[in-house]
Amino acid sequence: MALKSGLVGGAAALAGCIGGDSDDGNGNGNGNGNGDPGAGAGDPVDERVDERFTMSLHRGTYNMSNASWNPYDPNSAMANFDPPGLIYDPVLIHYQSHDTFQGVIADDWEKDGESVLVEFNDNWEWHDGDSVTVNDWATDLDIRFAISDITSPDSPASSYISDYEVVDDYAIRFDLHDDYSLESLLVNELAAHIMIKEDVGSPSFGDWRDDLQDAVSDEDTQVVSEFQEWSPDIDEVVGNGPFELKEVTDTTFVTEVYDGHPNADNIYFTEYAIEHHEDQVLALMEENVDGISLNLPESPDVMEQLPDHYEINRDYDHLWSILFNFGNYDFPNSPVENPSNQPITADERVRKAIAYALDREQIWASVPEEYELYELPPTFLNQTAVDEGLVDIEGYDNYDTDQDRAVELMEEAGYQRDDGQWYDEDDESAELALLAQSGTSVQVDALDSVQHQLNDFGFDASLNAVDEASYGEGRLNGDHDILFDNHPVFSIMGLTFVDFVWDWFSQLNHADYENTDWEVPAEIGNPDSDTTEVNVMDQIDQLHLTGDNEHLRQLTWWYNQALPMYGCVIAGDYGAIRSEDWHVDAPDEMLDNRVGEFNLVKVPDGELIPRQ
């Protein structure tokens, strides 16, 4: 932390740039920053040894011995990480921050008009020896579509897929609702998908499929309910990944190498275990586990006590931003019934004045030391996305501290400053309500700095730090002008997924993103150009339809100019693998993104090897 250490030049560490002591893409790093596996560490073994690799369970809510192994259980935590991510392989991997793909079970995909043909590699098999074919995927889709027909008959089962056809055992064709881009389909429908085996369970998934498709109207919802509450027994579970189930206890999930897996020859240890620990970082510090998937960095004093380690999942970052209230409470799905606060931040000029009046480095210096300064302009991007050239940010407003520009914007918005205090046209002081959750130190510390800076600039800013329930209610009711909240910046296409992101932000910003045409400078990168109108949802739809990064540029430009949020600090959330006993190497894209601990053993590109 260069600034906090008193060094010249500010912070060099940005989102997506954590770790690394060389340029070979292995992402080495450790608690003291030298990337050295430590004196006495041996070389990686060159043949398989009887060794166990142990990861800490990422989610404390995942029950080991009585977990649901039914991916259709809405209350299930089953996903492509933690135990299921180890014994199941995805169809393909989407490396989110790099926006690239790697086939796993699927080795080819091709789009032809409004259909996509996906072909499987015929080397994959289930842990009972049966071949992995698209017929199991078709069963999965049959169940999904049948449940949708029963529970949501007026809505499509998939936003993208209208129909599907098994071409042969290793090829399936998807018909699309529209001419969506291949990238959008892969990101939002196919990547990281966990596929079930048709004959697993008693009754089996295939039996349930038949029951769901045959259910009559007076019993169909009951069949759905019964199915979603059902799970195969643990001894019935059959995976298709590099490790198969060996033993499950209340605290530990043990697997062993499945020699029939295509990557088995590249796995140099025998067992992979996942253990539950209340404090994952402490478990790594005390060397009770070999790795943790997330939860770093911690405070500097804790980081100094960690063993030498490699960093994994390095781009799993969240950006903490000043989030403005636009004050539109009348749009459909607005959570506000009787609004009482009409925020002055509804005026774009006031939002920009606030951004120019603030010193981000002062905010950064006020929050816990494990946070990093965000030095990109407001765009919703992280450093990796910029480095990959997805968006050229030349000409984007960085909103560096500029008191004169802040004064100009306030005056353009109709405010006058008298004796250091801003007043509106009715001689009312310019008030700002800042809302924080009292138990979240980064919110309180950051907004404390914001409050002092804005009061010095001439606002009448007040900070209300409340309990979790009051904060949740207050931000949805619009009882604020400014929040300090976080959002992910580890994915590009994922952040354009309408139902997940902008429906949520609309309730925090109180802005009608769907039905508003925003006026922004027409020339991307030139804030002084003539204006044009942009509809956020139209741009997102076109991005998904065309895959053209021009729409991504337009979205980031709109974000930069409309300024719904002003990014301040990055909260890294990466994991680590101890380097004294384990050698790790992989392309940056694998180490930067989620579930690197599993991808290292799924495909030949990754290396997770015990040391001699």
Side-chain angles (χ1 to χ4, degrees):
M1 305 292 249
L3 182 68
K4 296 184 182 181
S5 303
L7 303 178
V8 177
L14 295 179
C17 294
I18 46 184
D21 68 328
S22 68
D23 59 2
D24 62 1
N26 65 9
N28 292 356
N30 74 349
N32 59 26
N34 62 23
D36 191 336
D43 294 329
V45 301
D46 55 11
E47 59 182 16
R48 188 180 296 169
V49 294
D50 187 12
E51 189 74 44
R52 175 183 290 187
F53 177 78
T54 303
M55 285 292 294
S56 177
L57 177 70
H58 166 56
R59 293 174 299 175
T61 58
Y62 193 97
N63 297 316
M64 292 289 191
S65 58
N66 62 346
S68 173
W69 292 90
N70 179 359
Y72 307 95
D73 176 359
N75 299 314
S76 170
M78 189 172 178
N80 67 322
F81 50 93
D82 283 337
L86 184 57
I87 69 167
Y88 292 99
D89 272 348
V91 175
L92 57 95
I93 302 168
H94 175 223
Y95 296 118
Q96 295 171 322
S97 63
H98 293 251
D99 208 23
T100 56
F101 301 89
Q102 180 167 10
V104 185
I105 299 177
D107 58 10
D108 192 29
W109 46 86
E110 182 178 351
K111 186 170 182 289
D112 181 13
E114 294 184 12
S115 71
V116 172
L117 181 68
V118 179
E119 296 183 286
F120 277 12
N121 186 314
D122 60 8
N123 290 325
W124 252 262
E125 60 183 50
W126 296 99
H127 294 159
D128 60 6
D130 290 348
S131 296
V132 175
T133 72
V134 298
N135 296 295
D136 294 299
W137 199 357
T139 298
D140 178 75
L141 291 161
D142 289 343
I143 292 173
R144 176 179 168 188
F145 275 63
I147 292 175
S148 177
D149 287 343
I150 294 170
T151 61
S152 304
D154 297 327
S155 301
S158 164
S159 298
Y160 293 82
I161 300 169
S162 62
D163 203 358
Y164 47 92
E165 174 194 4
V166 172
V167 178
D168 57 42
D169 283 347
Y170 297 99
I172 186 170
R173 184 178 301 280
F174 297 99
D175 294 325
L176 309 181
H177 291 295
D178 207 334
D179 191 16
Y180 291 107
S181 71
L182 179 58
E183 179 186 23
S184 182
L185 175 70
L186 296 179
V187 169
N188 293 298
E189 285 282 356
L190 308 187
H193 179 76
I194 290 179
M195 185 168 48
I196 50 91
K197 189 173 190 289
E198 181 177 8
D199 61 5
V200 161
S202 180
S204 68
F205 281 105
D207 293 333
W208 280 110
R209 181 265 321 277
D210 295 342
D211 289 346
L212 288 163
Q213 290 182 332
D214 295 341
V216 295
S217 59
D218 60 345
E219 65 178 26
D220 53 7
T221 56
Q222 181 64 30
V223 175
V224 171
S225 178
E226 291 173 356
F227 170 62
Q228 291 177 335
E229 293 172 0
W230 167 85
S231 172
D233 293 334
I234 191 69
D235 58 358
E236 295 178 312
V237 173
V238 179
N240 55 19
F243 289 83
E244 62 178 326
L245 280 171
K246 179 179 180 181
E247 178 186 10
V248 180
T249 71
D250 289 340
T251 60
T252 307
F253 182 95
V254 182
T255 66
E256 59 186 357
V257 175
Y258 181 68
D259 283 321
H261 190 272
N263 198 48
D265 289 344
N266 297 315
I267 300 175
Y268 293 85
F269 57 101
T270 53
E271 292 185 346
Y272 197 131
I274 300 175
E275 290 182 352
H276 177 264
H277 290 268
E278 291 296 332
D279 189 328
Q280 297 181 52
V281 176
L282 181 62
L284 180 67
M285 186 186 306
E286 297 181 347
E287 301 188 9
N288 293 323
V289 295
D290 298 302
I292 60 177
S293 60
L294 294 173
N295 293 316
L296 293 176
E298 278 279 357
S299 61
D301 62 319
V302 171
M303 295 300 293
E304 289 175 0
Q305 298 177 61
L306 291 179
D308 295 342
H309 61 269
Y310 298 91
E311 292 176 0
I312 59 172
N313 306 336
R314 303 176 311 193
D315 261 359
Y316 198 69
D317 299 331
H318 285 73
L319 175 62
W320 284 88
S321 298
I322 291 168
L323 188 150
F324 296 108
N325 185 355
F326 285 67
N328 182 354
Y329 303 121
D330 296 328
F331 65 92
N333 299 321
S334 170
V336 184
E337 293 183 2
N338 299 302
S340 59
N341 178 44
Q342 295 301 324
I344 65 174
T345 49
D347 191 317
E348 179 183 305
R349 295 164 297 187
V350 174
R351 298 195 296 273
K352 290 183 176 179
I354 291 171
Y356 278 118
L358 292 172
D359 182 345
R360 266 191 290 196
E361 292 189 347
Q362 285 190 38
I363 299 172
W364 171 54
S366 301
V367 301
E369 290 184 271
E370 57 264 31
Y371 291 89
E372 299 173 355
L373 180 65
Y374 182 71
E375 294 185 298
L376 292 173
T379 53
F380 234 153
L381 301 175
N382 68 4
Q383 189 66 45
T384 299
V386 174
D387 291 344
E388 294 289 316
L390 296 177
V391 175
D392 179 4
I393 59 173
E394 181 71 27
Y396 283 56
D397 278 324
N398 203 51
Y399 300 101
D400 294 324
T401 306
D402 186 338
Q403 297 283 321
D404 291 339
R405 180 60 179 145
V407 168
E408 289 177 6
L409 286 162
M410 287 298 292
E411 291 176 345
E412 289 176 14
Y415 293 85
Q416 295 296 322
R417 190 156 59 171
D418 183 15
D419 195 25
Q421 176 69 47
W422 287 105
Y423 296 91
D424 64 16
E425 295 172 346
D426 297 324
D427 290 329
E428 299 287 339
S429 63
E431 297 180 354
L432 289 170
L434 282 56
L435 182 64
Q437 184 174 316
S438 57
T440 306
S441 60
V442 64
Q443 287 186 349
V444 177
D445 294 345
L447 287 182
D448 185 62
S449 175
V450 170
Q451 179 190 18
H452 283 91
Q453 291 188 57
L454 293 181
N455 282 337
D456 288 344
F457 178 65
F459 285 105
D460 181 7
S462 61
L463 171 57
N464 189 19
V466 298
D467 61 69
E468 181 179 359
S470 299
Y471 176 74
E473 182 180 355
R475 64 180 182 172
L476 291 178
N477 283 337
D479 298 335
H480 65 279
D481 295 81
I482 288 175
L483 301 172
F484 194 71
D485 218 318
N486 76 89
H487 54 82
V489 285
F490 52 81
S491 173
I492 301 303
M493 293 295 286
L495 290 173
T496 65
F497 194 65
V498 177
D499 292 339
F500 175 70
V501 176
W502 292 105
D503 276 1
W504 173 238
F505 282 136
S506 69
Q507 299 188 53
L508 300 182
N509 286 119
H510 300 282
D512 187 359
Y513 291 113
E514 184 172 1
N515 299 306
T516 300
D517 291 327
W518 305 81
E519 195 170 278
V520 300
E523 184 182 344
I524 295 177
N526 181 9
D528 298 322
S529 63
D530 294 336
T531 61
T532 188
E533 289 188 343
V534 170
N535 183 284
V536 175
M537 295 309 179
D538 286 348
Q539 292 295 325
I540 291 174
D541 287 344
Q542 288 302 309
L543 177 63
H544 285 297
L545 280 169
T546 67
D548 189 341
N549 278 344
E550 181 64 22
H551 298 292
L552 181 61
R553 293 186 68 220
Q554 187 67 68
L555 283 166
T556 58
W557 178 240
W558 158 82
Y559 185 97
N560 183 259
Q561 294 298 298
L563 203 64
M565 299 171 227
Y566 174 60
C568 297
V569 296
I570 283 286
D573 201 3
Y574 57 89
I577 293 175
R578 291 196 297 115
S579 59
E580 183 175 0
D581 295 330
W582 296 89
H583 162 80
V584 172
D585 197 7
D588 278 342
E589 59 185 10
M590 185 182 296
L591 291 173
D592 283 343
N593 287 273
R594 277 300 305 276
V595 298
E597 65 272 24
F598 297 149
N599 292 335
L600 286 168
V601 297
K602 290 180 182 293
V603 291
D605 307 54
E607 295 180 358
L608 175 60
I609 306 175
R611 295 188 184 275
Q612 294 176 349

